Amino acid sequence: MRPLINLDKCDGCGLCVAVCCSNILKMVDKNLVIVDGDGCDWCALCEAVCISGAIVCPLEIVLNS
Amino acid sequence: MLEPGLLRAIPYFSELSDEELNEVGQYFFEESYVRDEIIFLEGDEARNLYFVASGVVKTFKTSSDGKEQTIELARPGDVLNEVAVFDGGPNPTSAQAITPVRLYKIEKSKMLAIISQRPVIALEVLRLMAAKMRRLTELVEDLSFRPVVGRVAKILLEQARAPLVSRLSQREMAAMAGTAREMVSRSLKTLEDEGAIKMERNRVVILDPEALERRAA
Ligand code: SF4
Ligand code: SF4
């Protein structure tokens, strides 16, 4: 599982990279990339700081069975 | 002393000439903060006005039982603690760096002197203050008249019973509930505290559908 990135919306500001405690987001040639998706702890801080909605951490919603 | 080019990126000063920016720039200092560092505390006297140069700052309030409530995230170009600087009262919130942060800082008295000489800055301050007032008014409306928790509860139930898409982000839930993303994250926390849901890594598990239904009613 890894956050979803929409590069069309991303302006390359890098705020998500700066806020990610797991250091799994990187800017490579002004493009945002995920370097180690398994390291993501789904804190969703990247989603919170991104003003353009270019990165999201979708949640599965289930009933406790 | 700050370069005119750096100051121009700040909305307060975007209308100034190079000469004016040079003059204003001499009153500014740059400060750096590491992630998690506190920049100022709620209740303290505001001696300086800060602008975010890079990184993200969280402003928050702390309740008497130690609970923290995020008010806003300030990003590059945004101003911090202008309320306390302009009304002369204590800081209404605390501020903490949530990334490595660089700030531009100016003493309150210097800032007030600059504004009194340049109406164009005063207008920009007013415009940004009004925009903030509008955001906070909407927040008050959400908190008092349109309980967002109920709408989030409804979205969770509908999504669990008859999913339209496989997964939903908090941003998408915010759009569906007609509110800010921060309100969704707050609502999820409330529902979890009440024992109605459990947040797992990338899942929301509904533990008590009846409790959600009562909330949604
Ligand atoms: S915060 Fe958003 S816009 Fe900025 S780099 Fe990350 S995804 Fe792109
Ligand atoms: S959800 Fe958290 S850990 Fe995962 S990429 Fe975003 S900021 Fe990093």
Side-chain angles (χ1 to χ4, degrees):
Chain A
M1 291 301 282
R2 48 184 57 203
L4 301 180
I5 297 170
N6 181 341
L7 285 178
D8 290 340
K9 288 188 183 171
C10 174
D11 63 12
C13 71
L15 292 181
C16 57
V17 177
V19 84
C20 176
C21 298
S22 313
N23 286 322
I24 68 151
L25 302 172
K26 291 249 159 8
M27 289 310 261
V28 178
D29 296 334
K30 295 194 183 147
N31 280 326
L32 178 62
V33 293
I34 299 177
V35 287
D36 169 22
D38 296 339
C40 169
D41 65 9
W42 224 254
C43 65
L45 277 173
C46 51
E47 181 182 316
V49 299
C50 178
I51 214 159
S52 38
I55 185 163
V56 289
C57 304
L59 298 162
E60 193 186 353
I61 298 160
V62 294
L63 287 166
N64 198 17
S65 48
Chain B
M1 169 83 198
L2 275 192
E3 296 287 315
L6 297 176
L7 272 188
R8 197 181 291 287
I10 293 172
Y12 274 20
F13 307 112
S14 57
E15 298 297 321
L16 298 191
S17 67
D18 280 351
E19 200 182 315
E20 286 175 308
L21 284 173
N22 255 326
E23 207 185 311
V24 169
Q26 63 183 315
Y27 300 116
F28 275 87
F29 297 93
E30 201 175 305
E31 276 184 353
S32 296
Y33 293 81
V34 295
R35 181 200 294 272
D36 295 337
E37 199 172 346
I38 295 288
I39 298 162
F40 53 78
L41 285 171
E42 179 181 346
D44 282 358
E45 184 195 341
R47 294 196 181 88
N48 305 294
L49 186 67
Y50 299 92
F51 298 91
V52 182
S54 68
V56 183
V57 175
K58 173 179 80 175
T59 57
F60 64 98
K61 289 190 83 77
T62 314
S63 66
S64 51
D65 57 359
K67 267 203 188 147
E68 207 181 86
Q69 187 79 78
T70 299
I71 305 297
E72 285 205 293
L73 296 180
R75 300 175 178 80
D78 289 344
V79 57
L80 290 175
N81 77 334
E82 75 277 41
V83 170
V85 164
F86 295 126
D87 78 358
N91 290 324
T93 64
S94 302
Q96 182 180 26
I98 63 166
T99 66
V101 163
R102 269 185 321 116
L103 298 178
Y104 301 147
K105 167 177 124 175
I106 181 168
E107 261 177 49
K108 171 178 161 177
S109 57
K110 297 273 183 332
M111 187 66 209
L112 294 176
I114 288 172
I115 290 184
S116 64
Q117 289 153 14
R118 294 178 177 80
V120 58
I121 301 183
L123 278 177
E124 198 55 28
V125 169
L126 267 179
R127 191 183 67 76
L128 290 171
M129 200 69 110
K132 184 172 259 187
M133 175 93 99
R134 184 180 293 280
R135 276 201 306 282
L136 294 178
T137 308
E138 281 164 8
L139 188 65
V140 170
E141 190 186 353
D142 268 352
L143 288 169
S144 40
F145 304 127
R146 311 189 302 148
V148 176
V149 184
R151 279 178 284 151
V152 171
K154 188 157 174 264
I155 291 168
L156 293 178
L157 280 172
E158 285 171 357
Q159 174 68 14
R161 287 176 176 153
L164 291 174
V165 287
S166 58
R167 300 184 295 150
L168 277 181
S169 68
Q170 294 181 54
R171 187 174 287 271
E172 286 163 330
M173 287 188 236
M176 291 163 79
T179 188
R181 185 190 174 281
E182 174 59 29
M183 290 295 289
V184 170
S185 123
R186 228 174 264 189
S187 301
L188 291 174
K189 218 172 273 164
T190 305
L191 293 171
E192 188 171 33
D193 287 349
E194 292 173 357
I197 61 169
K198 184 167 71 176
M199 299 293 292
E200 289 176 352
R201 190 167 171 266
N202 51 12
R203 291 205 316 169
V204 181
V205 181
I206 297 179
L207 302 174
D208 187 348
E210 285 80 34
L212 286 190
E213 253 150 32
R214 281 195 300 277
R215 273 294 202 167

